[in-house]
Amino acid sequence: MENIVFLIFIFVIAAFLGVELISKVPSQLHTPLMSGTNAISGITIVGALAVCAVQATGTLGMILSFLAVIFAAINVVGGYLITDRMLRMFRKKEDRK
Amino acid sequence: MLINLAYIVACVLFIIGIKRLNKVKTARQGNFISSLGMLIAVVAVLCEKDVAASWNTSDWMQNGYLWCFISIVIGSAVGVIWAKRVKMTGMPELVALFNGFGGLASLLVALSEFLKDPEGSDLVSAVSIGLTILIGAITFTGSVLAWAKLAEKITGRAILFKGQKPINLLLILVSLSAIVIYVIPGIDVYVKTVMVITLTALALILGFTAVLPIGGGDMPVVISLLNSFSGLAASMAGFIISNTVLIVAGCLVGASGVVLTLIMCKAMNRSISNLLFSGFGASESSSGKKGPQAEPKAISVEDAYLILEAAQSVVFIPGYGMAVAQAQHVVKELASKLEQNGAEVSFAIHPVAGRMPGHMNVLLAEADIPYEQLKTMEETNPIMPAQDVAIVIGANDVVNPAAETEPSSPIYGMPIIKAYEAKTVFVLKRGKGKGFSGIENELFHMGNTLMIYGDAKATISSLTGEFNTD
C-alpha cells in the first residue's frame, strides 16, 4: 500500500512539473516539442524489455512482448531522429552561409 | 540500488531535455540530452537482476535476453530508415504514426503482463493493466486513423454517422465496467480473460470512432491529445511494474500533451468537449447566404508583380495549402527577391495553421527562412494596417473575418490574422471553391483583396520569374 501511494505521489509531482516545463515553450517550437516528447513516451520500451526478458509464460506472452519492444524502439529511435532533423533546420540568419 | 539511481539520472535528463526545448538555440542539444536519458534507462533495465538472469536460459528460443536484443535492432532499424526517408511535408503523419506505435507498445506490455498473472492477484497492477489497455488501445487506433487522414489515405474531412455520441459513450462505459469486473479479486480466471479481451477490442474501436468525426483543420488538437495519451499509457504501464522512470517520463509527456491541447483549443476558441463531439468540418456554414456579395476580383501574375515591386512591406500568411503545394522553397525565393527589392518581409503564423502545432514553422525553417522572420499572430496583427501587401498562401479559416463579425459562423470567436487590414491582400488559391472547412470566406469578396487562382507553387515561381526578367 505504501508503495502505491509513493508512486502516485511521483505521478502527481511529475504532472505539475510537466505543465510548468511546457507552458513556456514558444509556438514556433511546438512541432519539435511534440515530436520530442513523443519520443520520450517511447519510454515504455523499458517496460517492454523487462517483460520480454522475464517472460516465462509461453509463446503468446513472448510474441506480444517481443512486438512491444519493436514498436517502442521504432517510436524512440524514429522519434528522436526526426526531432533532430527538424531542429537542425531552425537557424538564425547569421548562421547561414 | 545502482539501477534505481540510473533511473533517477534518466528522469533528470528528460526534464533538462524538455527544458532545453524551450529555446531554438538549445533545442537540439535538449533533444540529444533526452535521448541520452533514454539510453541510460534502457541500459539500466537490461542490467536489472531478473532481466539479466534470463541470459542464462539454455534454450535459445526461451532466451528473453536474446529476443530483447533482436527486437531492439529490428525496431531501431525501422525507425532510422523511416525518420531519414520521410519528406518534411510528411512530418505530421509520421509523428502521428510513431505516437500510435508508442500506444501499441504500452498496450502489448499490459497484455503480456496480464498473461503472466491472469488472476490479477495484485490489485494495483490489475487496475493499472486495465487502464493501460484502455488508453494504449485508444492511442493506437486513434493515431493510426489520424495518420490515414493526414496522409490522405482516407478523406480528411469529418466523418459523422448516426448515433455517434451515444455509441462512444456506451463504448466508454462498457470498457470501464470490463475493467471493474476484471480487477474484482476472486473472480474466475476465465471471466477475467473474457473481460480483458472485451476491453481490448472495445478500446480499439473507441479510438477509431472518437477520431472519425474530427476534420482535417482540427488535427493539431487531436495530435496533441493523442500525444498526451501515449504518455499516459506509458505512465500507467509504469504502475504495472512499479517502475518510476516510466511513471515520471510518461507523465511529463502526458502533461505536455494536455498543455499543447489547451493552447490549440484556445487558438480556435473552442472547448475540448466541443471539439471531440461536434464534428467541425462537417457542419455546413450558414454564412454567405445573406444577400449578394461582390464577386472576388481576380488578378494576373503580371499585375500582381507590379504591385509587389512597389511594396515596402510584405507579409506572407501560410496555411496548409502551402504544405500541400510544397511551395515553401519557392516562397523563400520570392521572399529573397522582395528583400533585394528593398521590401521588409515577414511571415505571420497562426497557431493552428497546418495540421499539427507549429507545422508552418517547420516547413519554413526547412526552406531556410531565418526564424526571426517568423512572427506570431499577436506580433503581426498590430502592424497589419502598415503592411503594403499581405500574401495569403493556402490559408483560409485563419484569415476569415467572419470569425470576428459573423456570430452564426462556426468559427465565430476564433482569433484570426487580420489580413484584411493590409493595404492590399493577395489570396493564392487553387480554385473558386470553398476552403477545407466548407466555410465561405468574406475576405475574398473585400475591396482590397485580389485573387490569384492556380497552383500556389506555380504562381509564386512565376512571380519570382517576373523579378528576374527585370
Side-chain angles (χ1 to χ4, degrees):
Chain A
M1 201 58 212
E2 230 164 72
N3 186 33
I4 179 65
V5 174
F6 171 67
L7 294 181
I8 292 175
F9 174 74
I10 293 182
F11 180 83
V12 173
I13 297 290
F16 277 94
L17 183 61
V19 170
E20 279 303 309
L21 280 174
I22 306 300
S23 307
K24 292 176 197 131
V25 177
S27 62
Q28 60 169 243
L29 281 175
H30 277 166
T31 294
L33 171 76
M34 222 177 62
S35 147
T37 52
N38 180 24
I40 295 179
S41 76
I43 186 71
T44 198
I45 193 173
V46 169
L49 286 170
V51 188
C52 183
V54 202
Q55 189 51 261
T57 41
T59 334
L60 185 59
M62 197 114 184
I63 293 171
L64 289 183
S65 53
F66 179 67
L67 290 175
V69 179
I70 292 184
F71 283 113
I74 297 177
N75 188 194
V76 169
V77 176
Y80 279 122
L81 284 179
I82 212 163
T83 311
D84 190 60
R85 247 185 85 183
M86 270 185 243
L87 288 171
R88 241 182 344 211
M89 300 180 320
F90 282 86
R91 259 170 297 185
K92 281 188 143 186
K93 221 169 191 173
E94 54 263 36
D95 295 349
R96 292 183 294 144
K97 297 280 138 62
Chain B
M1 179 64 192
L2 208 60
I3 284 155
N4 278 325
L5 282 177
Y7 286 151
I8 294 175
V9 172
C11 289
V12 170
L13 290 179
F14 287 141
I15 292 166
I16 296 175
I18 294 179
K19 199 168 158 49
R20 294 266 155 116
L21 278 172
N22 269 343
K23 290 201 187 71
V24 180
K25 249 191 210 161
T26 54
R28 213 180 150 199
Q29 187 197 15
N31 189 51
F32 179 74
I33 290 174
S34 122
S35 69
L36 211 61
M38 185 65 74
L39 184 68
I40 290 174
V42 168
V43 171
V45 71
L46 288 173
C47 295
E48 269 193 41
K49 216 194 288 163
D50 48 347
V51 173
S54 67
W55 178 245
N56 297 324
T57 318
S58 50
D59 180 5
W60 69 269
M61 274 300 284
Q62 296 289 324
N63 191 326
Y65 220 62
L66 188 67
W67 287 113
C68 281
F69 279 107
I70 296 175
S71 50
I72 289 181
V73 169
I74 297 175
S76 307
V78 175
V80 169
I81 294 168
W82 232 329
K84 294 269 177 213
R85 283 183 52 184
V86 67
K87 285 207 180 104
M88 275 300 142
T89 38
M91 200 66 86
E93 48 262 44
L94 193 66
V95 172
L97 195 62
F98 282 162
N99 195 46
F101 286 171
L104 177 62
S106 296
L107 167 67
L108 293 171
V109 169
L111 285 177
S112 48
E113 277 291 331
F114 165 74
L115 287 173
K116 231 189 207 174
D117 175 25
E119 276 131 54
S121 41
D122 183 52
L123 191 64
V124 172
S125 69
V127 173
S128 315
I129 285 175
L131 290 175
T132 310
I133 293 177
L134 179 66
I135 303 173
I138 293 176
T139 311
F140 174 51
T141 48
S143 301
V144 169
L145 187 59
W147 164 78
K149 283 190 172 200
L150 288 168
E152 290 179 342
K153 305 272 178 210
I154 60 168
T155 171
R157 282 179 187 278
I159 301 167
L160 292 168
F161 56 85
K162 243 190 174 162
Q164 200 149 26
K165 276 182 234 177
I167 288 177
N168 281 350
L169 193 66
L170 193 72
L171 284 171
I172 294 173
L173 289 178
V174 177
S175 305
L176 289 178
S177 336
I179 296 179
V180 171
I181 298 173
Y182 159 62
V183 297
I184 296 174
I187 284 195
D188 193 63
V189 174
Y190 175 74
V191 177
K192 292 201 170 198
T193 311
V194 172
M195 284 304 135
V196 167
I197 293 172
T198 314
L199 170 64
T200 311
L202 291 186
L204 286 171
I205 297 171
L206 186 58
F208 265 117
T209 54
V211 176
L212 213 51
I214 297 169
D218 287 344
M219 274 303 158
V221 193
V222 180
I223 296 192
S224 312
L225 198 60
L226 288 170
N227 184 34
S228 167
F229 270 36
S230 75
L232 279 181
S235 198
M236 290 300 135
F239 277 100
I240 305 177
I241 55 173
S242 302
N243 186 309
T244 46
V245 73
L246 251 76
I247 296 176
V248 172
C251 189
L252 286 175
V253 178
S256 98
V258 169
V259 172
L260 275 182
T261 309
L262 293 177
I263 294 175
M264 294 296 120
C265 278
K266 210 175 138 215
M268 302 171 105
N269 190 37
R270 309 178 63 206
S271 70
I272 292 187
S273 63
N274 169 280
L275 183 121
L276 288 180
F277 299 117
S278 73
F280 184 46
S283 57
E284 269 312 310
S285 159
S286 58
S287 61
K289 289 174 190 159
K290 45 166 188 150
Q293 272 177 315
E295 190 60 22
K297 286 189 294 260
I299 185 177
S300 69
V301 169
E302 292 76 22
D303 293 341
Y305 161 69
L306 293 175
I307 297 174
L308 274 182
E309 202 201 7
Q312 287 304 306
S313 51
V314 178
V315 55
F316 287 89
I317 304 168
Y320 185 55
M322 185 186 78
V324 174
Q326 305 220 18
Q328 66 272 26
H329 295 284
V330 288
V331 166
K332 155 78 183 167
E333 272 176 53
L334 180 59
S336 312
K337 289 285 170 210
L338 287 167
E339 280 185 319
Q340 283 166 22
N341 197 35
E344 207 173 294
V345 179
S346 64
F347 295 81
I349 295 168
H350 193 278
V352 293
R355 287 295 176 269
M356 66 193 286
H359 191 182
M360 291 301 123
N361 296 85
V362 174
L363 283 183
L364 293 172
E366 188 207 0
D368 225 13
I369 291 166
Y371 62 85
E372 295 100 325
Q373 274 183 350
L374 311 181
K375 306 288 186 209
T376 62
M377 177 170 68
E378 291 81 12
E379 287 167 338
T380 307
N381 277 341
I383 55 163
M384 194 56 91
Q387 299 291 322
D388 288 332
V389 182
I391 305 179
V392 178
I393 308 168
N396 192 344
D397 293 340
V398 298
V399 290
N400 191 344
E404 292 179 334
T405 57
E406 189 64 53
S408 66
S409 170
I411 58 167
Y412 182 69
M414 174 172 125
I416 57 161
I417 296 177
K418 304 183 183 203
Y420 63 88
E421 284 187 348
K423 286 172 194 141
T424 308
V425 184
F426 289 162
V427 176
L428 270 55
K429 209 162 170 294
R430 204 179 295 219
K432 294 190 183 185
K434 288 178 184 174
F436 199 86
S437 61
I439 301 168
E440 192 74 39
N441 196 335
E442 274 175 53
L443 176 71
F444 303 164
H445 304 281
M446 287 183 159
N448 56 343
T449 304
L450 300 163
M451 311 293 289
I452 310 177
Y453 292 115
D455 177 64
K457 194 173 175 179
T459 306
I460 293 176
S461 301
S462 37
L463 273 174
T464 317
E466 291 285 328
F467 274 98
N468 285 336
T469 54
D470 230 21

